[in-house]
Amino acid sequence: MSENSISPVSVGRHNWLFLDSTDGADASIMVYSLVEMARVNGINPPKYLEQLLEARPHKDMTDEELETLTPWAPSIQASYVNK
């Protein structure tokens, strides 16, 4: 079980060799983290990422507004779990 959970990181590590900058690496790991958080919470990652892109989070959002976009938020759970 633990070997399977590490596999995506091992595959990703090979792909990360081709990132041209630390900004690119930071962006890549942020997206990877979002995908893994969605999976852990039982949410379809592509649909969750689509929801985030539609919501367009920005730096001026309050903590409460950002909280509604997390994978464990009740509104997200109701919309995406097991769909």
Side-chain angles (χ1 to χ4, degrees):
M1 184 175 205
S2 63
E3 193 173 307
N4 287 340
S5 68
I6 294 172
S7 179
V9 175
S10 298
V11 171
R13 186 176 51 215
H14 174 73
N15 294 332
W16 298 328
L17 292 172
F18 302 102
L19 295 171
D20 292 336
S21 67
T22 55
D23 287 341
D26 289 344
S28 222
I29 200 64
M30 281 185 220
V31 172
Y32 184 74
S33 296
L34 290 169
V35 167
E36 290 305 311
M37 280 195 312
R39 283 188 186 144
V40 166
N41 285 280
I43 295 172
N44 181 331
K47 292 202 179 280
Y48 177 62
L49 292 175
E50 182 179 333
Q51 168 75 20
L52 284 179
L53 291 172
E54 287 174 1
R56 295 188 182 131
H58 51 85
K59 66 179 180 166
D60 296 327
M61 291 178 88
T62 65
D63 289 343
E64 291 79 21
E65 291 172 321
L66 290 171
E67 181 70 25
T68 64
L69 299 174
T70 60
W72 51 87
S75 60
I76 299 293
Q77 288 283 316
S79 299
Y80 294 105
V81 171
N82 299 321
K83 292 186 180 180

